Amino acid sequence: MKDQITSGLAPEKFRDPLTTAKGQPRAQVALRNPETLWFNTGTLCNIECVNCYIESSPTNDRLVYITADEVTGYLDQLEDRAWGVREIAFTGGEPFMNPEMIEIARRSLARGYNVLILTNAMRPMMRKAMQTGLLALHAMYPNKLTLRISVDHWSEALHDVERGSGAFGKTLAGMRWLRDSGLRMAVAGRTVWGETDAQSRTGYDELYTREGFEIDAHDPSMTVLFPEMDDSIDVPEITTACWGILDKSPTDVMCASSRMVVKRRGADKLAVLACTLLPYEPEFEMGQTLEEAERPVRLNHPHCSKFCVLGGASCSA
């Protein structure tokens, strides 16, 4: 695992999946209430952000485009395993660079699932074929499709620090098209800017009001503010005793309710991962099938601690 962990983290931490550096039993999370099945549509993206956790870019194809037929195979598995999932979610890269994205979403919606697509709402989404497809999906399955837009900060200046000059304006243009088309939007932002949660949400609220976006800035499921995932910062390991100390439940951690399917470049078969945040860590690859992915996940990575347990964040809606 640990090629991404840099010198800021104590070197003895997150090495043993069973015990912490202090010899205490490491916390684990069982898949108790599956709610979301994630698919990574491919790591290619139209832009390259400064702090992209998955290193998406116009050249990174470590995870290649997943196909509609491959997604259908896992939807069949969901029914066979009776997981009770209510949401199928898609991340990238930029999902709308995948040429089969509309068909993938259509098949998921046709099975009765809610569908969540994470996007930067820029040129890939704004291509005519994608616009036409989104309008058709919205007409066929009203209120079942949500697009969660990456708006790293409510101000143009700080958003563009992360995503490049002009990115904010292009994303707003896409959001305005979604607004005018009646499609449901949510937003994903970041908490790296030194603001309080209240300050951040006030800023987003002002942006939404100004633009006429029907997004609730104060609903954490509609305006998701993610903590920074900096591997260079030392974080505590989570032991079995931490649940009581922190007054948290393992059922609240993301891997208790979700898994992600990826297609690695050059691999013969797809893989099911424990977490959307750890696409390249072999320790968190659980097998090729949903049945294999039903085993517990040991919290043996800094992201488990900082993002999920201490940060209380979740990628799902």
Side-chain angles (χ1 to χ4, degrees):
M1 174 174 91
K2 316 294 188 293
D3 59 335
Q4 294 182 15
I5 299 177
T6 60
S7 58
L9 184 70
E12 67 274 12
K13 289 184 175 180
F14 301 103
R15 298 294 163 180
D16 188 326
L18 300 179
T19 59
T20 68
K22 294 182 179 180
Q24 298 172 311
R26 187 176 302 284
Q28 65 177 13
V29 173
L31 183 69
R32 296 188 182 278
N33 183 30
E35 295 181 350
T36 304
L37 181 62
W38 286 87
F39 291 89
N40 188 294
T41 61
T43 41
L44 287 173
C45 187
N46 56 303
I47 59 175
E48 186 171 2
C49 298
V50 174
N51 293 302
C52 180
Y53 78 95
I54 202 170
E55 301 171 359
S56 297
S57 76
T59 59
N60 178 10
D61 63 349
R62 291 176 69 180
L63 302 181
V64 297
Y65 291 149
I66 201 166
T67 70
D69 286 345
E70 288 166 337
V71 169
T72 295
Y74 281 91
L75 298 181
D76 291 341
Q77 289 186 48
L78 275 180
E79 295 179 3
D80 292 341
R81 302 304 302 167
W83 274 19
V85 157
R86 60 180 176 79
E87 175 186 65
I88 306 298
F90 300 95
T91 184
E94 169 51 51
F96 288 106
M97 290 186 69
N98 185 318
E100 296 191 37
M101 188 64 245
I102 296 298
E103 177 61 14
I104 288 169
R106 186 196 66 77
R107 294 190 189 188
S108 302
L109 289 163
R111 296 286 187 105
Y113 297 108
N114 295 325
V115 166
L116 174 67
I117 304 175
L118 278 55
T119 177
N120 56 36
M122 296 172 74
R123 178 173 291 182
M125 189 197 78
M126 294 293 281
R127 289 177 294 163
K128 188 65 175 177
M130 295 300 171
Q131 288 182 319
T132 300
L134 284 172
L135 291 174
L137 292 177
H138 177 59
M140 293 174 64
Y141 305 100
N143 302 316
K144 298 288 286 183
L145 173 65
T146 300
L147 284 83
R148 183 189 291 166
I149 318 301
S150 297
V151 183
D152 287 324
H153 192 260
W154 47 266
S155 73
E156 179 177 12
L158 291 181
H159 177 90
D160 284 2
V161 164
E162 175 68 20
R163 295 185 173 254
S165 178
F168 188 76
K170 293 174 183 176
T171 290
L172 279 190
M175 294 178 74
R176 290 166 185 150
W177 179 81
L178 292 169
R179 174 201 65 198
D180 294 344
S181 301
L183 279 96
R184 189 170 186 258
M185 288 187 287
V187 157
R190 300 164 73 107
T191 60
V192 67
W193 314 108
E195 299 174 330
T196 66
D197 183 84
Q199 289 171 332
S200 293
R201 294 189 184 281
T202 296
Y204 281 105
D205 188 51
E206 291 172 354
L207 170 65
Y208 302 157
T209 299
R210 185 167 64 248
E211 293 288 341
F213 298 150
E214 292 186 5
I215 307 171
D216 188 344
H218 302 285
D219 180 346
S221 70
M222 295 302 294
T223 301
V224 188
L225 300 181
F226 289 121
E228 191 67 7
M229 294 180 291
D230 187 348
D231 287 330
S232 68
I233 296 174
D234 198 12
V235 293
E237 296 180 281
I238 304 301
T239 71
T240 55
C242 286
W243 303 121
I245 295 169
L246 299 171
D247 193 25
K248 289 180 177 287
S249 170
T251 60
D252 297 331
V253 180
M254 187 164 54
C255 51
S257 60
S258 67
R259 293 291 186 263
M260 182 171 77
V261 180
V262 303
K263 185 178 183 181
R264 301 194 190 282
R265 184 183 61 211
D268 293 333
K269 294 186 177 181
L270 281 67
V272 185
L273 309 185
C275 178
T276 61
L277 307 176
L278 299 168
Y280 306 130
E281 305 284 8
E283 183 177 342
F284 290 88
E285 185 169 318
M286 307 193 77
Q288 298 170 354
T289 68
L290 297 187
E291 182 178 6
E292 292 173 296
E294 290 173 351
R295 57 190 170 88
V297 178
R298 297 192 179 273
L299 304 185
N300 192 28
H301 194 282
H303 289 353
C304 304
S305 176
K306 179 166 183 157
F307 186 87
C308 293
V309 177
L310 300 178
S314 173
C315 293
S316 300

